[in-house]
Amino acid sequence: MLRLWNYNKSRIHSERGVREVVVTLDSAPIFAGEIRKAPGTLSNLQECCEVLLFTNSQMVVEQIAAHDWIEGVELESECKESFVFERPPTASKERKNAKMQPLERPLTSAVRDNSIKAQMAAKDKELAKLQAAEAKRVEIKQTVYGSIVEICILDTWGDLFYTGLTGLQLYNEKGEEIELDEGKVEANPRDMNSIPGYSGDYRTLDKLVDGENCTTDDEHMWLIPFTKGKRHSITINLGRKQYISELKFYNYNKSIEDASRGIKTVTITVDKRFVTPKRGVTIKRAPGTSTYDFGHSIRIPFTQGWGPKEISTYSKHSPLSLSQEYLTPHLPTGFTFDFVLYSTYSDIHYIGLNGIELYDLLGRPLLQRPQAATYRIYAVPGSVGEMAGMEGDIRTVDKLVDGCNATLDDRHMWLAPLRNTKVYAVTNREVAKCPNVVTVTFEGQVALGGVRLWNYTKTVERGVQELGIFCDGRLIYRVTSPTNP
């Protein structure tokens, strides 16, 4: 056995760690491949190293385990027994003037009163009417009349051998979903069971239209073998001619890693007439989680958006010389931008931000109100409003894009329970030690020219300290953010 320990000074400095290694014995290679990236902490020694085992003997493995020093190491704090894992309550009218315990965190609240609630409801109702009117106008203009829809798969999000989808939906000129069943859908290849000598795989064609789309359960997904350059297609026969305004793709979503099997580039024809460019259009990569609706709508005929040609124009390396420890891609282009929040400035219970703004390649803001229909914003966890007794708290994720950022008014801030801590792990063991994530996902691809963050100002200790920015699952930036004064 050989154990390799990667560079582990901190979460940020772990980027300096070795990725690919070759191990030789007497000049003969015995291992070549990637090794584990260090986590930047010492919470679990097994996560800090890569174990290379060169035996299949159960007896040898048992002997190694019996004499392995790592099994007996305890890295937990000596004050573990006295550590209070219960999250302190936030402020309420009943406890506002109550006497606090010596070590209890100061209380906080941002509860919506009836007048503010009524005003916001009226604004949301007005916005919904405007968006519905705009959607109706677009639907009338953008329709195709036909009965046979064919989707040709040109490329995947990285996997060389397999591709698939979680779900597929069609919509008519009124925006209503067209009912599909297995009898109306064919595929080439049909599914994994088309491989000679292979059978019994449950990722069959019927899963494409079973209605279970926002899921990470691959029993509700369709998968086929993929060979670049060969023909791979999905054919939908509606039985009669009708108006079609939109196709909605739910990409392959088993996990973050398996999302690379998702479809990336497709062409669409209706009755053998192209309704997309022949070079194809790009389908959004799945997030690997099911915390929000990750479906990607393609209106037909396709008149605007990004294809491989446009993306390659902005994917070149930057001529600028920046002083930093890694190469930031020039104008990263994608659908989904994840802000992974690793730590706060000392608070072990909550984490928050005042605002987020993204800018395009010309420096224009992307998250303004008039463009609200072109993107969606989510957070995991959503906010402190998801906690028991905090249902009225208005520090929700939509406040990050309300345009009121340089403020001390907590009605324009977002606050959530901090996940990357032992406190959260006590009651949420399945996501223990996972960072908080804020996701901004667009309906079309955008070339990102810049990002601006406003840190949490009400209680600066709850502001974000370490964060990483991901574009379609790829790390594009990692930084320690400053506190607000």
Side-chain angles (χ1 to χ4, degrees), residues 425-439:
V426 170
T427 55
N428 301 270
R429 297 186 184 278
E430 70 280 1
V431 292
K433 305 297 287 182
C434 294
N436 293 61
V437 181
V438 175
T439 299

Side-chain angles (χ1 to χ4, degrees), residues 456-471:
Y456 196 73
T457 53
K458 182 180 180 182
T459 309
V460 294
E461 292 82 5
R462 294 176 177 176
V464 176
Q465 183 181 39
E466 295 177 79
L467 69 94
I469 304 175
F470 291 76
C471 174

Side-chain angles (χ1 to χ4, degrees), residues 4-191:
L4 302 176
W5 301 82
N6 225 328
Y7 195 78
N8 196 38
K9 181 180 179 182
S10 67
R11 289 191 182 96
I12 292 179
H13 289 92
S14 65
E15 300 289 339
R16 296 176 175 176
V18 173
R19 181 175 180 179
E20 296 184 356
V21 300
V22 176
V23 181
T24 63
L25 179 64
D26 292 339
S27 300
I30 58 174
F31 173 82
E34 290 190 9
I35 63 171
R36 184 197 303 265
K37 175 186 171 185
T41 66
L42 289 176
S43 58
N44 187 343
L45 285 181
Q46 297 287 0
E47 295 179 357
C48 298
C49 62
E50 183 73 51
V51 176
L52 307 180
L53 202 60
F54 300 97
T55 179
N56 292 325
S57 172
Q58 184 65 29
M59 183 178 68
V60 174
V61 172
E62 290 176 356
Q63 288 295 316
I64 293 174
H67 296 87
D68 194 358
W69 62 270
I70 200 172
E71 298 295 334
V73 175
E74 177 62 44
L75 291 177
E76 299 294 339
S77 171
E78 294 179 358
C79 60
K80 179 179 178 180
E81 296 298 328
S82 62
F83 190 89
V84 179
F85 287 104
E86 184 180 357
R87 186 180 300 279
T90 53
S92 64
K93 292 180 180 179
E94 292 78 12
R95 294 203 51 178
K96 203 169 201 179
N97 299 316
K99 187 176 180 180
M100 295 176 57
Q101 298 298 321
L103 298 178
E104 188 176 1
R105 177 169 298 283
L107 305 181
T108 180
S109 68
V111 180
R112 180 185 304 175
D113 60 40
N114 293 333
S115 61
I116 296 175
K117 186 176 181 179
Q119 293 173 14
M120 295 186 65
K123 289 183 179 180
D124 290 342
K125 189 175 181 179
E126 183 181 354
L127 180 62
K129 286 182 179 179
L130 292 174
Q131 290 178 346
E134 176 66 14
K136 186 176 181 180
R137 183 185 66 80
V138 174
E139 285 162 6
I140 293 173
K141 286 188 175 182
Q142 290 191 337
T143 56
V144 174
Y145 191 65
S147 61
I148 299 177
V149 180
E150 185 176 42
I151 303 164
C152 289
I153 304 167
L154 306 181
D155 202 2
T156 73
W157 275 102
D159 198 291
L160 300 177
F161 304 105
Y162 302 101
T163 191
L165 288 170
T166 301
L168 180 64
Q169 296 174 340
L170 268 66
Y171 293 86
N172 62 19
E173 76 280 9
K174 297 179 181 179
E176 300 169 342
E177 184 178 349
I178 300 173
E179 185 177 350
L180 298 177
D181 56 48
E182 186 182 3
K184 296 180 180 179
V185 183
E186 287 294 333
N188 178 36
R190 184 175 177 83
D191 52 44

Side-chain angles (χ1 to χ4, degrees), residues 189-206:
R190 184 175 177 83
D191 52 44
M192 293 292 292
N193 299 307
S194 302
I195 302 174
Y198 185 79
S199 62
D201 198 293
Y202 51 76
R203 293 166 291 188
T204 49
L205 185 61
D206 60 297

